[in-house]
Amino acid sequence: MKNYTVVFCCLFLLCLGCRNHEKELKITEYVNPFIGTGAHGHCFPGAAYPFGAIQLSPDNPRNGWDWSSGYHYSDSIISSFSHTHLSGTGIGDLQDIRFLPVLNKPDSNQSTIQYIASNYARFSHDNEQAEPGYYKVKFDNGIITELSVTPRCGFHYYQYPSHTTHGLTVDLTTARNWDKPVECCIKKVNNRTLEGYRKSKGWAPDQRVYFSIEFSQDVEVLAGKNKFEPLQNGQKIISDSCYVWINFGDKTDKILSKISISSANFEGAEANLQKELPHWSFDKVKRDAKQAWKRELSKIKAESPDESQLSIFYTALYHAYLAPNLFSDANGNFKGPDHEIHSVDKRQKQYTVFSFWDTFRAAHPLFTITQKKKVGDMVHSMLKHYDAYGLLPVWELAGNETNCMIGYHSIPVMVEAYLKGIRDFDAEKAYEAMKKTVASDRGGMNYFRELGYIPCDRENESVSKTLEYAYDYWCIAQMAKALNKEDDYLYFLKKSRNYAHLFDKSTGFMRGKTAAGQWKTPFSPLYSNHRDDEYTEGNAWQYSWFVPQDIEGLIHLHGGPEAFCIKLDSLFTIPSQLEGENASPDISGLIGQYAQGNEPSHHVAYLFNYAGQPQKSQYYLNKIMTELYKNTPEGLCGNEDCGQMSAWYVFSAMGFYPVNPVEGKYQLGTPLFPKVTLKVGPEKRFVITANKENDKFIYVEKVLLNDKELDRTWITHDEIMEGGKLEFTLTDKPTEEKRD
């Protein structure tokens, strides 16, 4: 009997362990990569690794703004599976080295491009599947494609219908949105290996992708610019365009291909394959990618009976970890903005795709909690850019400075890292880089220094630039203070108040002012002329609140807390119509004139906290989270923008947000979940709880931090990273109404 008891206990523990294992694995199942692939989200659904170099995803043949990522859920044709993609940007590029399995042999009467286009394949979303690190689709013609990735390699698995031609096209030419090839190369190395490169000009003005491809069997290769010709072992083609057809024969219906890319050279691409993908087990790659995502996503454990809400949350966290992208190859090499090849040592990694105007607000602050090692590498990446280019990056893409958007928001990212204790970089060098960068004359910076504002008759987007440069100057002041540079601190702090020069007390808005000091007329706060007026992708209603470094000063300009809240409340309650024939399409996700679909609004709902009416922040935050984020392809109300749209949700759903990331404080909002556990160290956890009795429990009655009631509307970064617990007591009535 005793033996039976022991056996029973062992079986019980084994079953319990299996159930717990299944529960742990489910965190990746909550991710829905199709969220944001419809409407204006500009997301892609394909296979990616956390912060990886490869984004292996399907493309549709159409170009256009809503196809910036290559894919839109409204489409029903796949033209290729390419290996690099941008997540949620407002400009299209990349989509390099385009594969497509096909059933037809080239026709001698067709040109290469006619043949390529004739094989674009129809599909149904019913036959499509996506999860972290994996994508699968079955075409209407019967071909099944499965895709997975390592950090620097892509892995393809094709299953063809029986008794058909088993072929593959490789397109090095077709332009996508802004991207256009300038030189392509394809070489057949041996019976199973191809290598080549694609150099192109687009949003990234000098992009280089070297690649190495291996197949699971011998192949016949035809290639050319206008006509397919046999390509023998050792032969190569160099041209301004090139198309390839691969013949797998009919020995097997199942074919594997793997590819690696490098921005530096062939050797880097080959080294990636040798290091990360020396085997041919597709299942192992898929499993390892899923495990990598599980590790990253598990750093935040949200608990809720609402599984759709969990899907929105974990997809947001997933999207936040798609960029920046690993850029150095296995040899440590990468292309720099000076068009030369640079390298990092074995301890570091170089990253690319820095959408700072978007991501400095919430995505990079999220990384300081969950990705501290990567933050250090990202700062090193910015300094490598500075070494080669002479200035810190504005919007870095594939080793290029695009100079897209405004501000120098790599500065707050670097200062935030330093002040939050991430200091494995040369702080003095970083500080000098900041000073040199803002000493340039780019984007009207000279007027900012000389006049105290940027005049609207001398520089476009003058109001937005003035406000954002003022914030950057405040950040430099904090770095100067930390480095005991008192004179610099006072200088930059004074300049950070330049925002006040553009506040018009008669209207209560930030307005354009001429070099002569006159307000620009006519003026309407509803007017927008996309990036061709005083505001960047917005209007005066949306941009007049961007003073995160001195919100108390902004409240004073409005005449005090009561007047400030009246004006702020109006933002959310006035009609949503815009004026102007070319209003920015980025003004989306409107509640009144508040625009959640674009970044300038992202901190605004929290501003009631500063003026003594946090219950209004709680009301609007809940409205934004529950009405503007959905578990559908149309589930994002604006461009994802490399993780920022989603990072806002991750923070807000947990119950706090970095209104001013460099300040080291997080304003409290209203949590969505009964419990969230943040892993903030090997043995440290920060636990957030709330009595979410129903959906109407959104108002905060009190907050306890480590069992002590808070008399403030914020917590600090240090308090989070020390571990502990944050307890929200919620009610279904605003606190003021409840007191009545």
Side-chain angles (χ1 to χ4, degrees):
M1 187 66 185
K2 184 177 180 180
N3 290 337
Y4 282 116
T5 303
V6 172
V7 171
F8 174 80
C9 290
C10 290
L11 288 173
F12 175 79
L13 291 172
L14 180 62
C15 292
L16 184 64
C18 290
R19 289 186 65 185
N20 288 338
H21 181 63
E22 289 172 2
K23 189 175 181 181
E24 289 176 6
L25 285 178
K26 194 170 184 180
I27 200 166
T28 57
E29 295 174 15
Y30 285 129
V31 176
N32 176 7
F34 291 108
I35 292 178
T37 59
H40 305 312
H42 296 186
C43 296
F44 63 84
Y49 203 86
F51 304 99
I54 293 275
Q55 306 84 41
L56 182 45
S57 189
D59 306 309
N60 308 132
R62 294 183 62 179
N63 281 319
W65 191 57
D66 278 333
W67 280 261
S68 293
S69 75
Y71 177 101
H72 195 268
Y73 199 79
S74 64
D75 220 317
S76 60
I77 300 175
I78 289 177
S79 58
S80 69
F81 301 104
S82 59
H83 296 79
T84 58
H85 290 82
L86 292 166
S87 178
T89 57
I91 300 176
D93 203 334
L94 307 186
Q95 298 159 53
D96 297 288
I97 323 302
R98 299 155 61 84
F99 286 15
L100 188 70
V102 298
L103 298 180
N104 304 312
K105 294 182 178 180
D107 187 331
S108 59
N109 295 322
Q110 289 179 305
S111 67
T112 50
I113 184 56
Q114 287 174 331
Y115 169 74
I116 295 288
S118 70
N119 281 283
Y120 292 168
R122 291 195 172 276
F123 75 105
S124 166
H125 293 301
D126 292 337
N127 294 320
E128 192 179 25
Q129 177 186 344
E131 61 187 58
Y134 175 73
Y135 174 87
K136 178 181 179 180
V137 66
K138 181 178 180 180
F139 294 154
D140 292 355
N141 64 18
I143 297 176
I144 297 173
T145 299
E146 298 182 58
L147 309 172
S148 192
V149 290
T150 70
R152 298 180 179 91
C153 304
F155 209 172
H156 301 238
Y157 171 82
Y158 315 121
Q159 185 172 342
Y160 295 86
S162 299
H163 311 298
T164 61
T165 297
H166 306 155
L168 176 75
T169 63
V170 180
D171 180 353
L172 302 180
T173 303
T174 303
R176 292 292 300 179
N177 292 307
W178 288 28
D179 176 80
K180 183 179 180 180
V182 295
E183 185 174 295
C184 306
C185 171
I186 189 74
K187 178 181 179 181
K188 188 180 182 189
V189 178
N190 56 46
N191 289 345
R192 298 189 178 192
T193 307
L194 301 178
E195 68 178 20
Y197 59 76
R198 184 179 190 270
K199 299 178 181 180
S200 61
K201 181 178 178 64
W203 187 14
D206 176 21
Q207 190 196 1
R208 307 173 194 174
V209 181
Y210 294 85
F211 59 87
S212 180
I213 305 170
E214 294 183 13
F215 298 107
S216 56
Q217 64 169 62
D218 292 354
V219 296
E220 175 190 5
V221 180
L222 304 181
K225 176 179 179 179
N226 299 310
K227 183 180 179 182
F228 287 115
E229 300 285 354
L231 193 66
Q232 306 300 330
N233 290 353
Q235 287 186 323
K236 66 180 177 181
I237 295 173
I238 298 177
S239 179
D240 59 352
S241 63
C242 185
Y243 303 94
V244 184
W245 180 70
I246 312 293
N247 183 12
F248 296 121
D250 56 4
K251 291 182 179 180
T252 177
D253 296 338
K254 299 175 178 63
I255 307 293
L256 294 166
S257 65
K258 53 188 181 182
I259 178 173
S260 172
I261 63 173
S262 167
S263 65
N265 46 44
F266 297 121
E267 291 79 11
E270 293 168 0
N272 293 342
L273 282 175
Q274 292 171 9
K275 178 180 179 180
E276 297 181 2
L277 199 48
H279 59 82
W280 286 96
S281 174
F282 184 89
D283 287 342
K284 174 176 168 50
V285 171
K286 176 185 174 184
R287 186 170 60 249
D288 289 349
K290 187 172 185 178
Q291 188 66 23
W293 277 110
K294 179 193 166 187
R295 284 194 300 271
E296 298 302 338
L297 298 174
S298 297
K299 292 176 181 177
I300 304 179
K301 182 182 179 182
E303 299 178 39
S304 172
D306 187 338
E307 295 211 341
S308 182
Q309 204 172 66
L310 288 172
S311 284
I312 297 170
F313 180 82
Y314 279 110
T315 304
L317 192 58
Y318 167 83
H319 279 146
Y321 292 165
L322 288 176
N325 302 129
L326 179 60
F327 197 50
S328 50
D329 59 33
N331 291 332
N333 297 325
F334 63 95
K335 174 208 166 277
D338 57 353
H339 314 293
E340 300 296 329
I341 304 304
H342 298 267
S343 62
V344 292
D345 63 36
K346 293 181 179 180
R347 297 171 298 168
Q348 296 172 355
K349 294 177 180 177
Q350 185 74 10
Y351 286 89
T352 187
V353 184
F354 285 107
S355 183
F356 288 119
W357 183 80
D358 307 289
T359 56
F360 86 90
R361 305 166 197 264
H364 284 283
L366 180 62
F367 300 159
T368 65
I369 297 174
T370 64
Q371 305 288 340
K372 293 180 68 174
K373 171 61 172 69
K374 289 185 175 65
V375 170
D377 283 346
M378 290 173 192
V379 173
H380 279 287
S381 298
M382 299 170 212
L383 292 175
K384 286 285 189 179
H385 180 101
Y386 168 73
D387 288 339
Y389 191 72
L391 300 173
L392 289 171
V394 175
W395 211 121
E396 195 277 347
L397 173 59
N400 293 264
E401 175 60 89
T402 68
N403 275 312
C404 187
M405 304 311 294
I406 64 172
Y408 277 109
H409 297 319
S410 54
I411 290 172
V413 172
M414 298 172 75
V415 177
E416 178 190 20
Y418 187 79
L419 295 183
K420 289 181 176 178
I422 303 172
R423 298 186 174 184
D424 56 341
F425 59 92
D426 187 334
E428 290 289 347
K429 177 181 178 180
Y431 180 69
E432 289 305 313
M434 296 174 199
K435 289 179 63 177
K436 184 175 179 181
T437 296
V438 298
S440 73
D441 291 342
R442 173 192 173 268
M445 189 70 86
N446 52 321
Y447 298 116
F448 181 87
R449 295 191 300 269
E450 296 161 10
L451 298 178
Y453 66 95
I454 298 174
C456 60
D457 54 344
R458 303 290 175 83
E459 185 77 21
N460 203 28
E461 302 173 295
S462 58
V463 173
S464 297
K465 289 175 179 175
T466 298
L467 298 180
E468 299 208 14
Y469 290 154
Y471 179 64
D472 290 339
Y473 266 63
W474 184 87
C475 295
I476 299 175
Q478 307 316 302
M479 191 70 174
K481 183 178 181 180
L483 297 176
N484 298 314
K485 301 178 186 297
E486 184 68 16
D487 290 344
D488 280 5
Y489 167 70
L490 294 174
Y491 168 79
F492 285 109
L493 187 65
K494 181 179 179 181
K495 291 290 186 182
S496 75
R497 300 188 182 113
N498 282 353
Y499 72 89
H501 293 305
L502 296 186
F503 184 78
D504 175 18
K505 290 187 178 181
S506 68
T507 64
F509 291 100
M510 299 289 180
R511 285 184 60 181
K513 183 182 285 187
T514 68
Q518 303 298 315
W519 296 118
K520 180 183 177 181
T521 57
F523 169 73
S524 170
L526 299 173
Y527 180 81
S528 169
N529 188 19
H530 179 64
R531 303 207 66 182
D532 196 21
D533 56 13
E534 292 76 61
Y535 307 96
T536 301
E537 298 180 0
N539 60 24
W541 266 113
Q542 288 126 32
Y543 240 107
S544 294
W545 312 98
F546 188 76
V547 191
Q549 74 276 21
D550 188 19
I551 295 168
E552 290 77 9
L554 183 63
I555 292 172
H556 176 74
L557 288 177
H558 279 84
E562 184 176 355
F564 180 80
C565 284
I566 291 173
K567 184 63 174 288
L568 185 56
D569 213 24
S570 298
L571 171 72
F572 291 92
T573 58
I574 65 171
S576 295
Q577 72 262 25
L578 304 172
E579 295 177 2
E581 295 181 359
N582 189 34
S584 177
D586 297 281
I587 303 175
S588 62
L590 288 168
I591 301 174
Q593 285 293 313
Y594 174 87
Q596 177 65 20
N598 209 25
E599 280 65 28
S601 290
H602 277 190
H603 69 295
V604 175
Y606 286 89
L607 297 184
F608 289 106
N609 277 9
Y610 296 81
Q613 296 190 26
Q615 74 280 1
K616 289 190 174 179
S617 284
Q618 294 150 21
Y619 171 79
Y620 287 119
L621 288 166
N622 181 74
K623 186 177 181 68
I624 295 164
M625 287 188 283
T626 57
E627 295 183 7
L628 298 179
Y629 288 81
K630 301 292 183 183
N631 187 19
T632 68
E634 296 77 27
L636 293 177
C637 62
N639 298 169
E640 167 61 23
D641 284 320
C642 296
Q644 170 58 28
M645 188 71 68
S646 289
W648 182 95
Y649 184 88
V650 170
F651 269 120
S652 296
M654 290 192 295
F656 54 94
Y657 185 81
V659 170
N660 176 359
V662 173
E663 186 181 29
K665 295 179 181 178
Y666 301 87
Q667 287 296 319
L668 299 176
T670 179
L672 275 186
F673 302 112
K675 185 176 181 181
V676 174
T677 303
L678 266 168
K679 183 179 180 181
V680 294
E683 304 298 330
K684 291 182 180 180
R685 302 294 183 269
F686 187 72
V687 181
I688 305 147
T689 61
N691 57 319
K692 293 289 290 186
E693 295 185 21
N694 58 52
D695 292 343
K696 294 182 180 179
F697 271 59
I698 64 173
Y699 297 105
V700 178
E701 188 175 65
K702 65 179 179 180
V703 181
L704 302 180
L705 178 63
N706 298 325
D707 299 321
K708 294 182 179 180
E709 186 169 353
L710 289 179
D711 59 357
R712 47 184 161 95
T713 62
W714 47 268
I715 56 176
T716 69
H717 182 77
D718 289 343
E719 286 168 341
I720 292 173
M721 300 308 289
E722 276 299 311
K725 58 182 178 178
L726 187 70
E727 301 173 75
F728 287 84
T729 299
L730 303 179
T731 177
D732 58 354
K733 293 181 175 60
T735 51
E736 287 185 343
E737 181 182 335
K738 188 174 187 298
R739 281 197 296 268
D740 291 339

